Amino acid sequence: MNKDAVASDEGSVLWALLPGMVVVAATGGSARHVSPEFAAFAGAQRETLQGSGWLALLDTASRLALLAALARPASLVLSLGLRLGNGEQRWLECSSCWMPRQACHVCLFQDVTAGRQAEQAALAQAQLLRLTADSVPALIAYYEAQTFRCVFANRQYARTFGWDEVSILGRTFAEVIGEQAAREISPHVERMLQSQQAVVYERELPDEAGRPRWLEVTLLPHVDAQGRSIAAFVLIHDVTRHRLAEREARESEERLSRFLQASAEGVVFHRDGIITDVNPPICALTGYALEELLGRSVLDFVPPEQRAKVAAVRAAGQDVSYESEVLDREGRRIPVEFIGRTLMHKGEALRMSIVRDLRDRRAAQARIHHLAHHDALTGLPNRMSFMDELDHRMGFAAGAGEQLALLFIDLDDFKRVNDSLGHMAGDKLLQTVAMRITETLRSTDRVARFGGDEFMVLCPAVRQLSEVETVAGKLLAAIEVPVDADGRLISVTASLGIALYPTDARSPAELIKHADSAMYLAKSRGRANYQFFDPALAHTAYAALVMESRLVEAIEHNEFVLHFQPQVRHHDGALVGAEALIRWQHPERGLLMPDSFIPVAEQQRLMWPLGQWVLREALRHVRRWREEGLALAPVAVNLSTVQFQARGFVEAVERVLKEEEVPGDWLELELSERMLMDDLPEVKAKLQRLKAMGIQISVDDFGTGYFSLRHLKELPIDKVKIDRSFVRDLPAAQDAAAIARALIQMALSLGQDVIAEGVEQAAQRDFLAANGCAEMQGELISRPLAAEDFRAWMLERAAR
Ligand code: C2E
Ligand code: MG
Ligand code: MG
């Protein structure tokens, strides 16, 4: 036991009289006396608490504070935290009295745990409140109403005005936000205090970085039980985001409206079909002022029959475009395109329709349509549109029991004008003719250019043929007037064919075809006239002329080929010659036989160039084969009357032989009986000149004409060809057999060779051979072959 402990013993009896929790401690903190109440409170033996034992109860901070206080010889009041033996946390309030005499502190303790806990809870509450206030995204403050001093402010509030949450306390409103601002705001404050109602206003206050910032301020009065406004809550929200969004929306709306004002397209806004806005082009389009349009139904401006469609599209809210019409103020229909769109505007679906004026586009389309339906050179309707018109008129005429006349006009020899004077003159001529035709006609008549130099005229409601004849005569006369093309006077005539509906045709195509053939009839009757369709004549004239026009091209385009048919001697099978036979490789109709085009060529003076071509081509082939070493006796070339009778024929043959460097005896010319019958001396002279060149002469189709024995005797003929019509019926038919035998005998008696053509069967061959016909040509040996095939045929025979 130390000295202090001994000294305490003196007063311990007295101290024991003190009620309550008492500890008597020396300045060093050592307890000289611990009351039973204190020990009971501590839940420990008094002995353990004696000396420094009691200090162990205290938490460190309390202990240090206590020791520091006890060290001074003065009374003290202290709050102490301690932990009991059972681990419970308690707070004691210690008030000590310094006893100078005993040099000790008499410490009286009071259990303040309950109060302390409440205090702590309140503190925690306050802290939580602070935390909450500092965490919410709002500025919060509380001002006392009498003095306008700040009692509470959250951190954001304080910082916004340049304070912190402590320094702001006690400041007046004006100090916090500035004199100027306070003056501005005071009306709101007044209002709030007077009305005792919340007041909301907005302030624009730049942030620290100087960016614009909008604050929404709510002032809430704090009214006490007596109904006095004792304070004001200030609640501030930063509404910058909303304001910016609003501004953006407003600007974009402004932009849209500026755009709409400036747009050339009409734009209509409507809600459930009721117009809410339009832009100026809509007013211009419809002729209505904006006020006249607002609030009206869009359907009021759409023609009745289109309303259902427009309404359906709108109701479906489809984003579609379609063509329709708009009625303007005068009730005129304007073709437009509607482009419907649904926009979300301020949270509601707003319908926007772009209204595009289609008049320009329609005009362009009309121009294109015109171009497609008219001939560019003359401006007249073209074939296509004429056909439509014709179809339409015929349909009408059929119903009305009306008669129509179709006039087909074709210029005579236009090709020559074009070729000799040039296309410019040709074009000028066509334009003038087109104009004159148009001028000659009545307004109800229709005219078209059908291509090239062909024009069509349709006269409706014809009562008498004489009317049509008058028109036709006028047209021919008008066309014939000379045309001034670049100072040169050109004149053309036209051939005109007329077909009538319903007399001549049922369909437009047939009517045209018949007018066409009537036109060809006019051509064949000397041109420069008109003809009505005549079913009896149409066929021949038409076919021939169609062929003629194509034949010229065929010559130019080299569409002809030669086939070769071998001629063979019976007893030894020797190749004695070949006949060149022309074919037309027609681009559409295929390989055409000579019977279908030779008569036309003869009629149309085309036989001469065609004949020359055959001659040259045959000789070229023969020379090539000869050069190859193929032993081919003369090639036989058929002549037509036109060729043989032409002046200069012999010279022409001579020239070709020379040019092709072929000797005359490689050539045989086949003439028909008829050619040889005309002027005997002249024919004889020609044949002699040909023979003088070494050319052989044969008589084709022998037996079919009126060839007399006298002719046969007098003319220098080498060979006769028994016509295949006699050969065909051999040997069974008695007549044929008799004629064939006689023909062969006649020729043989004159010392001429005989060849039979069209030999198809062995029996025919045997009969002919038995009767002295040594040479044969026909399918039994070979059908006519293309040049290459004929060459192969010869090679094959040579190899045998
Ligand atoms: P053509 O001169 O009497 O010619 C013989 C005709 O008989 C050819 O007809 C030939 O193909 C045909 N033929 C040959 N073998 C047989 C056979 O076994 N049976 C039958 N039924 N017929 C056979 P294609 O080639 O049609 O010629 C017909 C006519 O056309 C020729 O008769 C001739 O007059 C004329 N021709 C052909 N080529 C020319 C030519 O280049 N110039 C001229 N001016 N006329 C020609
Ligand atoms: Mg022949
Ligand atoms: Mg013949």
Side-chain angles (χ1 to χ4, degrees), residues 318-434:
Q318 291 166 306
D319 278 5
V320 289
S321 59
Y322 58 99
E323 293 191 2
S324 184
E325 284 173 324
V326 153
L327 294 173
D328 74 359
R329 196 184 192 108
E330 264 72 53
R332 283 181 301 229
R333 286 160 176 257
I334 302 169
V336 295
E337 182 180 16
F338 284 130
I339 302 167
R341 292 282 181 274
T342 300
L343 298 181
M344 287 314 290
H345 185 75
K346 295 182 181 158
E348 66 174 325
L350 194 62
R351 196 72 181 147
M352 178 177 103
S353 293
I354 295 168
V355 183
R356 189 169 285 167
D357 187 346
L358 291 183
R359 281 175 296 189
D360 285 352
R361 196 195 291 178
R362 287 283 159 84
Q365 279 167 351
R367 267 200 305 284
I368 292 167
H369 185 267
H370 182 89
L371 289 177
H373 288 79
H374 289 77
D375 164 51
L377 180 67
T378 62
L380 293 181
N382 61 14
R383 178 190 291 260
M384 189 171 85
S385 64
F386 187 81
M387 291 301 285
D388 285 351
E389 175 84 15
L390 182 59
D391 198 42
H392 174 72
R393 294 283 186 114
M394 280 175 74
F396 177 79
E402 219 181 77
Q403 184 167 233
L404 304 177
L406 185 67
L407 285 65
F408 197 127
I409 305 169
D410 186 284
L411 303 185
D412 299 327
D413 286 327
F414 175 72
K415 200 172 141 40
R416 221 181 35 223
V417 173
N418 226 18
D419 292 348
S420 56
L421 300 178
H423 289 287
M424 298 288 272
D427 286 354
K428 176 77 204 270
L429 183 66
L430 289 172
Q431 283 166 337
T432 309
V433 166

Side-chain angles (χ1 to χ4, degrees), residues 54-98:
W54 72 292
L55 293 171
L57 290 174
L58 300 178
D59 59 38
T60 313
S62 296
R63 189 161 60 232
L64 292 174
L66 183 64
L67 286 175
L70 291 178
R72 287 191 303 258
S75 298
L76 61 96
V77 176
L78 262 184
S79 270
L80 300 173
L82 68 165
R83 197 168 291 278
L84 301 183
N86 61 6
E88 234 179 283
Q89 169 88 44
R90 293 297 185 95
W91 280 272
L92 292 178
E93 191 150 274
C94 167
S95 21
S96 90
C97 193
W98 172 250

Side-chain angles (χ1 to χ4, degrees), residues 769-799:
N771 285 281
C773 176
E775 298 172 5
M776 322 236 172
Q777 175 183 348
E779 284 173 12
L780 184 63
I781 298 138
S782 168
R783 60 188 176 80
L785 298 169
E788 243 341 278
D789 297 338
F790 179 60
R791 179 176 166 273
W793 185 89
M794 285 191 289
L795 283 169
E796 204 224 331
R797 272 176 66 89

